Amino acid sequence: MNSNDEHELKETERQNKKYKELTESNVESLVIKMGIPTIISMLTTSFYNMADTFFVSKINTQSTAAVGIVFSMMAIIQAIGFFFGHGSGNYISIKLGAKETDEASKMAVTGFLSAMIVGFIIFILGTIFINPLAHILGSTETILPYSISYMRYILMGAPYMTASLVLNNQLRLQGNAVFAMIGLVTGAVLNIILDPILIFHFSMGVKGAAIGTIISQFAGFCILLIGTNVWGTLPIKLKDFSPSLQKYKAIVVGGLPSLCRQSISSFSTAFLNIASAPFGDAAIAAMSIVNRVAMFANSAIIGFGQGFQPVCGFNYGAKKYERVIKAFYFCVKISTFVLLLLSVFIFMNSAQIVHMFNDKDNALLEVAYRALHYQALSLPLWGFITLSSMMLQTTRKTIRASILAVAKQGIFFIPIIYVFPKIFGLTGIEIAQPFSDLLTFLLSIPLGLSMIREMKYELKKKEKTI
């Protein structure tokens, strides 16, 4: 037996072992095992986002606002990465569950290289049109120089930032969440170390924060690529790159909800910045801080939900629907309880949290405190919304998943952020997101339960044929 045969045999053994684990072991224990690395990944990444805002906020209010504005452009980069990552990853998960390994391998490479190519296009176009782009995203004249300085470097990282997200999601949806975690956590920790050094020690200001971001993202990308090829279930083999209409259709089916969710998030952030602009730079900066804190609170639940996705994908592919349903309700119960505790903590400590970021700009402090207070009220609703969205997407129910994906930040938030400030003034800015969360929760109930009913129907049919 030659080395290639031995390598393929080891790959097959790893795949069979992973299949057995995901389709036969205890569901609750499995979700926790899959969820712990993704929770750590999401918390670390979210902590980095808060740390980035924390260090930049020490420069001035305009720099804080600039990070919030460029964040909507970063959401576009992330949208591409999640589109190819979830699109290929969900397909891979179901194919591995159905034991169609060759198709899964070809999709892994196709998703990875396609994302990198699109990321390079974003870098070129974004650099050419950087000034109008900064204005479109909500920069005022006083914020514009800081936005451009930050954005110019972030665009350089677009190709490997999109590819990193693909590798991360493919690893996670193959059930290799630990390797996905190592790549993300390494990049985030490095960024937290680099930020104060580049911003303050080398006096690079907001530009230093951007350079720290792209260096750390590249380091994380390299670790993810090595981990995929050395320890992953499906190594990236360039010879398997096989772009086709069929594969891109599959990516669209699995990735469209993520593209919609992240793209709408970008637009909603831009709308929020534009709506906040009449109330001053402090309002834009304040809402940037609130968004970072809310993201941190939700990141653990997203991580828990990402632990649910491979369990959902493998078992749905293997037609073990009872395990999918059991895992879904288990995750909803745990996530709602955790979010309720976080809601109480944030509500009671809003002032202290805001003061961590800025204790000098009174106008910023006042807006951020009130907005964070309101946001805490809707946090417990996010568990059911997140898990319903992930279940619909992983089972490739594209239309329902896409509707729910765009509801929170698009269908509801964008009209609300346009209308509420005209009626309620600054308070309208502060209550827009919590009100949108409530409406999204009401929508997620019939959409999520419709999928549960479908799986129960399939189980009844299966019982009748036995």
Side-chain angles (χ1 to χ4, degrees):
M1 183 182 292
N2 60 39
S3 59
N4 286 336
D5 290 337
E6 288 180 6
H7 183 66
E8 288 180 7
L9 182 61
K10 286 180 181 178
E11 283 183 21
T12 303
E13 288 174 356
R14 282 202 300 265
Q15 290 158 8
N16 290 335
K17 184 179 178 182
K18 187 60 64 176
Y19 175 86
K20 186 174 182 180
E21 178 189 13
L22 285 163
T23 58
E24 295 180 14
S25 59
N26 178 270
V27 168
E28 289 89 347
S29 301
L30 184 60
V31 169
I32 292 171
K33 180 183 176 182
M34 294 287 117
I36 288 174
T38 52
I39 289 169
I40 293 171
S41 297
M42 290 302 302
L43 283 173
T44 306
T45 303
S46 186
F47 182 73
Y48 141 68
N49 284 328
M50 284 210 306
D52 208 35
T53 303
F54 172 80
F55 289 122
V56 169
S57 69
K58 303 304 177 184
I59 304 171
N60 53 40
T61 298
Q62 285 70 33
S63 293
T64 309
V67 171
I69 284 165
V70 177
F71 181 75
S72 56
M73 188 212 67
M74 291 178 71
I76 295 172
I77 296 172
Q78 291 172 348
I80 300 301
F82 280 118
F83 171 67
F84 285 104
H86 283 152
S88 60
N90 290 334
Y91 181 90
I92 288 166
S93 182
I94 290 174
K95 288 298 178 183
L96 288 175
K99 294 193 171 182
E100 298 177 25
T101 307
D102 288 342
E103 280 299 306
S105 295
K106 290 176 182 177
M107 177 59 87
V109 183
T110 302
F112 170 74
L113 288 179
S114 298
M116 183 167 276
I117 291 166
V118 175
F120 187 74
I121 293 170
I122 291 173
F123 162 57
I124 297 296
L125 294 178
T127 302
I128 293 171
F129 300 105
I130 194 166
N131 273 48
L133 181 59
H135 276 109
I136 290 169
L137 296 177
S139 287
T140 63
E141 290 303 318
T142 50
I143 297 171
L144 185 64
Y146 300 93
S147 297
I148 290 175
S149 180
Y150 192 80
M151 192 186 304
R152 194 181 303 280
Y153 289 95
I154 295 298
L155 283 166
M156 292 179 185
Y160 57 81
M161 286 166 72
T162 53
S164 288
L165 287 167
V166 174
L167 292 174
N168 175 264
N169 283 287
Q170 286 183 356
L171 280 168
R172 183 173 54 78
L173 285 158
Q174 292 169 34
N176 295 314
V178 173
F179 304 127
M181 175 195 73
I182 292 169
L184 273 183
V185 169
T186 301
V189 171
L190 181 59
N191 205 335
I192 293 168
I193 294 169
L194 287 175
D195 265 0
I197 294 172
L198 296 175
I199 293 171
F200 304 115
H201 183 72
F202 289 102
S203 303
M204 297 177 76
V206 72
K207 181 171 69 173
I211 293 172
T213 296
I214 62 171
I215 291 173
S216 58
Q217 290 278 355
F218 184 71
F221 166 72
C222 292
I223 290 170
L224 284 168
L225 188 58
I226 293 168
T228 299
N229 287 309
V230 176
W231 299 291
T233 306
L234 297 173
I236 297 295
K237 301 174 182 176
L238 296 182
K239 66 181 178 65
D240 286 338
F241 181 56
S242 51
S244 66
L245 185 60
Q246 180 188 3
K247 283 189 175 60
Y248 288 123
K249 280 183 179 178
I251 288 173
V252 169
V253 170
L256 186 61
S258 292
L259 181 65
C260 292
R261 183 187 303 111
Q262 292 296 130
S263 299
I264 287 295
S265 176
S266 175
F267 286 120
S268 67
T269 303
F271 274 106
L272 175 61
N273 293 329
I274 292 167
S276 302
F279 302 99
D281 292 352
I284 298 175
M287 295 311 297
S288 175
I289 290 171
V290 172
N291 284 342
R292 289 294 196 277
V293 175
M295 282 174 59
F296 182 77
N298 194 36
S299 60
I301 303 309
I302 293 174
F304 193 48
Q306 287 177 344
F308 160 75
Q309 281 185 300
V311 179
C312 177
F314 268 75
N315 286 284
Y316 188 79
K319 302 187 185 302
K320 297 190 176 186
Y321 304 123
E322 71 283 355
R323 289 173 61 83
V324 178
I325 296 169
K326 189 175 183 181
F328 173 77
Y329 281 121
F330 172 72
C331 290
V332 168
K333 290 175 187 175
I334 297 297
S335 61
T336 302
F337 176 72
V338 171
L339 283 168
L340 185 61
L341 294 180
L342 283 171
S343 173
V344 173
F345 176 80
I346 291 173
F347 190 87
M348 294 179 66
N349 297 280
S350 295
Q352 293 91 325
I353 292 170
V354 173
H355 272 83
M356 287 170 55
F357 292 90
N358 190 308
D359 56 2
K360 296 176 182 177
D361 191 327
N362 290 329
L364 182 153
L365 290 170
E366 189 177 344
V367 174
Y369 168 70
R370 288 199 306 265
L372 194 55
H373 233 162
Y374 293 131
Q375 183 65 83
L377 297 176
S378 67
L379 279 182
L381 306 178
W382 289 6
F384 191 87
I385 296 170
T386 302
L387 269 301
S388 296
S389 180
M390 288 181 169
M391 177 176 64
L392 289 167
Q393 183 172 359
T394 306
T395 55
R396 303 175 74 78
K397 305 302 177 185
T398 311
I399 295 175
R400 278 174 284 176
S402 298
I403 290 171
L404 189 53
V406 301
K408 185 176 176 181
Q409 300 287 42
I411 295 172
F412 298 125
F413 181 78
I414 290 176
I416 288 170
I417 198 63
Y418 179 77
V419 174
F420 273 30
K422 298 179 186 299
I423 300 173
F424 304 110
L426 186 55
T427 303
I429 301 285
E430 297 160 356
I431 66 173
Q433 189 62 67
F435 198 80
S436 175
D437 293 343
L438 174 61
L439 295 177
T440 306
F441 172 72
L442 296 176
L443 176 64
S444 70
I445 294 172
L447 290 178
L449 294 183
S450 69
M451 187 63 221
I452 298 293
R453 285 195 297 271
E454 286 178 22
M455 288 189 285
K456 286 183 176 179
Y457 175 74
E458 290 298 324
L459 284 172
K460 286 180 181 178
K461 280 173 59 180
K462 188 177 177 182
E463 288 172 2
K464 286 180 182 179
T465 58
I466 296 174

